[in-house]
Amino acid sequence: MQHQHNLFTTMRSLNLAEGCKGTQVYAPPPPPPPQQPGNNATGGVGDKFLQHLQDHLRVNSIRSKSSRTYPQANVVVSPESLLPFGLPLTDLLEPRIDPSLKFPDLVDQMAQVYRRIDNCDQSERSGAYLEQCAVFKGLSDPKLFRRSLRSSRQHAIDVHAKVVLSSWLRFERREDELIGTTSMDCCGRILECPKATLVSGYDPDTVYDPCLCSGASSDVQECSTSDEALDYDMSFCIGDEEVRCVRYKIASLSRPFKAMLYGGFNEMKRGTINFTHNGISVEGMRAAEIFSRTNRFDNFPPHLVLELLKLANRFCCDEMKSSCDEHLAHLVGTLDEAMLLIEYGLEESAYLLVAACLQVFLRELPSSMHNPNVIKIFCSVEGRERLASLGHASFKLYFFLSQIAMEDDMKSNTTVMILERLVECAVESWEKQLACHQLGVVMLERKEYKDAQRWFNTAVEAGHLYSLVGVARSKFKRDHRYSAYKIINSLISDHVPTGWMHQERSLYCSGKEKLLDLDTATELDPTLTFPYKFRAVALVEENQFGAAISELNKILGFKASPDCLEMRAWISIGKEDYEGALKDIRALLTLEPNFMMFNGKIHADHMVELLSPLAQQRSQADCWMQLFDHWSTVDDIGSLAVVHDMLANDPGNSLLRFRQSLLLLRLNCQKAAMRCLRLARNHSKLKHERLVYEGWILYDTGHREEALAKAEESISTQRSFEAFFLKAYALADSTLDPKSAEYVIQLLGEALRCPSDALRKGQALNNLGSVYVDCEKLDLAGDCYTNALNIKHTRAHQGLARVYHLKNQRKAAYDEMTKLIEKAQNNASAYEKRSEYCDREMAQSDLSLATQLDPLRTYPYRYRAAVLMDDHKENEAIEELSRAISFKPDLQLLHLRAAFYDSMGEGASAIKDCEAALCIDPGHTDTLELYHKAREANTTDQK
């Protein structure tokens, strides 16, 4: 089997200082000390490199530092002084309970959700997609969650749902962190437009319409009818003043007015009616008179419209109330306005006005969560009841708020109150499961174990089996260890075992039984971090520090886990490897800037301060050289650490922030990558740079067309490598026809002609080679890959190997991939690719190594399963795929297993796998064809 080629599979690489060959760039007058072993000091490149750094990297802060590498001072520091809380202990380790929904059979759950979406009425579809959001929240790919959230908003009908879901979409992109944006900005996206949310109804054709904010507002037309032209036949007397009116116009406002003026009451015969004690001013009554004739408010100030709203409620003027409600709703734009007007809205039952105020609160999150008045509305029982009276207290609202509250402070009273409101709003089974489970998790964190057990039990009763983990943990915390063991043991006995089941049971046993459970957990789900950490700490307790580090390296080779980085740094300090510890802590801070180490006792930033004097001191130029080395050896964690070090000296360097985001995307840390991209955009002082960063933010959050528009705007402002590269990358993200391919080639050529550095050009050459391969221009592709390798773009070995393979030079292709394996520190993908250029036995060996190094790579499982099917070992093939699907429900894996089931005549299993795959990608053509085929065959068999 061959890989399905993805045009730009390699990551957008780092921008390094071109031609940096020495460390003597800014050497001060005194002669340097003797060169340390291993330092490459072949001489400076002088003014050219200095100018390059000034113009393109803006690292002016390095002027204040010596560029020389001095010998380390003989500082004697004991590990004990750096570890005031000692080394980690196995007795204090326990895995975190996932606050998201989790299932013993995730594939079955995904299939159920797909069927619900596919079969429900339009009025229920938004809610069905929200359930899909809850299922995807527990998976590692945030794009699945965002896509479901977008679909839920797209199918929303009522204003409340639109307000909540559009605000949630905006929050997921953290637009609030972009300097220059306001809470009511929507960047032209109709699904996030604050005006569009206030219009009820569902129209699929409007999803792609222009945003309502960009449309021209209709001009207010003044009423041209003069008083003389009107047939005034009555007056309302308010105090000493009279307001002249047209009787039948006022009567048309509502039935009570009609009854008053035409229904036999005394007022019917009077020309003047005393209206003094009806709670409306003279100005308000004049406004009512104008509205009775024009159905418009013209330029009425807000306080008059509020008077009219009150009058409309008192006299049941439905049309006037609706108009007041809509008019006031469109006036709400700031938090202060929302706080003022929501009270009027709740008092006068103004649905749209309250919706508009809620919209401001939600679009100001997370900062508005710290406003006591907002908290009172959202968190109190009375506040929820007032919102509910107008249809503005929903599960989706408190689901959104609970995610923010738990992320902000899991243990706070605010979080507890919001989750209590979430429970009160829960109606569907999955809603009760999620709300009660989350409340159990929070209570456990607060060490309120009795309450935690109660909420976990309620979640289990609602059907959430994973909450049994919480029940067991709560019992364990209350010294009921054997009871906890029995709960999880029964769970394992009654269901197909999963990694998290064995992981949890390991807490309640000891000795070999504990280690056996942990090993089984890793075998079933190698992505679980706790087993690696426990085994590492157990080795530390036996004074085997090197073996402990090796154990953590296993998972850090394919998963950049903050808790494992912390553990490796902790152990490295005990080993007195301060360089290694500092590297891991810097990488950790890149992932989570506010991380607290040693069980939440010391900020990681403080550990950097303590360890820095003990590590080798490097100038900014030295760091660029080190970054070059890490990148060339495909050491992403090391690269992150170097960039973090450089940013400590130059925190405003947008270019470094951008490079940081590229590394994080390579490590599949999208949330951290987006944060770095936002910082890059905020720190950039050049418009064309900001446009590029905004373009990458859009591209990486699924807005490809908008990203292309940003690239084009940047190019029109100033031609640059990054703008052309972004445009080419975004265009190549789809299947290219010959004409489009030629255009991408042209764009990459333009990028290469713009000023840039060696590794950035290496990435462009690598991508250009990929396009040439697709166009069957193999010689040109080979030249591109060779040129990229000449400037140390190591990953180009893979492209060159492909060229050799297509030229039927299989041995040369194999040798080329061997070179990459030898150079790359993270080389699972290289083993995987090399397997395509050798015989079956050698391929199996390479793929076995690839799985061992990175069990998240799906191609090895698919290859082995296909080989087993070819050998007519159907059950073994299914088991091979099921092994990976159990911890990574991947689209390709599910599709292949469905095809295998179909060929074996197991239609029901094939249909279920197809439905789970379509839950991930409802437009996947091959799966849709297989699904319809399997359903037709299943229907025929049933007949």
Side-chain angles (χ1 to χ4, degrees), residues 71 84 89 167 259 263 341 366 404 406 420 430 434 498 598 616 624 631 672 758 784 793 798 852 875 882 905 936:
L89 300 171
S167 300
L341 290 172
I404 297 170
M406 293 173 73
E420 288 173 342
W430 73 269
L434 179 63
T498 63
F598 310 140
Q616 188 176 16
W624 279 112
W631 178 254
C784 287
H793 187 77
Q798 182 169 318
Q852 182 181 335
N875 292 331
S882 300
E936 288 172 9

Side-chain angles (χ1 to χ4, degrees), residues 557-613:
F558 66 89
K559 183 177 181 179
S561 166
D563 56 331
C564 287
L565 283 169
E566 179 209 17
M567 186 61 71
R568 191 167 71 177
W570 197 342
I571 295 171
S572 294
I573 294 172
K575 191 186 173 187
E576 300 186 35
D577 176 12
Y578 303 129
E579 284 279 357
L582 190 58
K583 180 186 79 170
D584 282 343
I585 296 173
R586 288 191 184 282
L588 167 62
L589 283 167
T590 305
L591 296 171
E592 294 190 18
N594 298 315
F595 194 92
M596 301 292 291
M597 295 184 64
F598 310 140
N599 299 317
K601 294 183 174 66
I602 296 180
H603 199 290
D605 263 336
H606 181 59
M607 290 306 301
V608 170
E609 293 174 8
L610 293 176
L611 289 168
S612 291

Side-chain angles (χ1 to χ4, degrees), residues 138-198:
L139 302 185
S140 59
D141 187 354
K143 291 180 181 177
L144 293 175
F145 174 82
R146 282 201 301 268
R147 193 203 67 210
S148 298
L149 189 63
R150 179 181 173 84
S151 296
S152 184
R153 164 62 186 93
Q154 181 178 335
H155 291 276
I157 296 174
D158 63 276
V159 167
H160 172 76
K162 292 182 178 182
V163 163
V164 173
L165 296 169
S166 65
S167 300
W168 200 342
L169 277 173
R170 184 180 185 278
F171 176 81
E172 283 298 312
R173 289 201 321 279
R174 301 300 198 273
E175 292 256 335
D176 59 288
E177 295 180 10
L178 292 180
I179 294 173
T181 63
T182 69
S183 63
M184 304 308 279
D185 288 342
C186 60
C187 302
R189 301 182 188 93
I190 189 72
L191 293 183
E192 297 175 36
C193 173
K195 292 184 179 179
T197 59
L198 299 179

Side-chain angles (χ1 to χ4, degrees), residues 739-751:
K739 184 176 180 182
S740 299
E742 285 297 328
Y743 186 44
V744 171
I745 289 170
Q746 178 187 338
L747 289 170
L748 288 171
E750 292 291 343

Side-chain angles (χ1 to χ4, degrees), residues 769-806:
S770 297
V771 184
Y772 278 136
V773 167
D774 286 350
C775 296
E776 299 182 357
K777 299 178 180 179
L778 300 183
D779 289 338
L780 289 173
D783 290 343
C784 287
Y785 292 128
T786 301
N787 289 335
L789 288 169
N790 287 339
I791 50 179
K792 295 194 176 181
H793 187 77
T794 310
R795 294 172 182 84
H797 283 296
Q798 182 169 318
L800 191 54
R802 185 163 177 249
V803 170
Y804 287 138
H805 175 66
L806 292 173

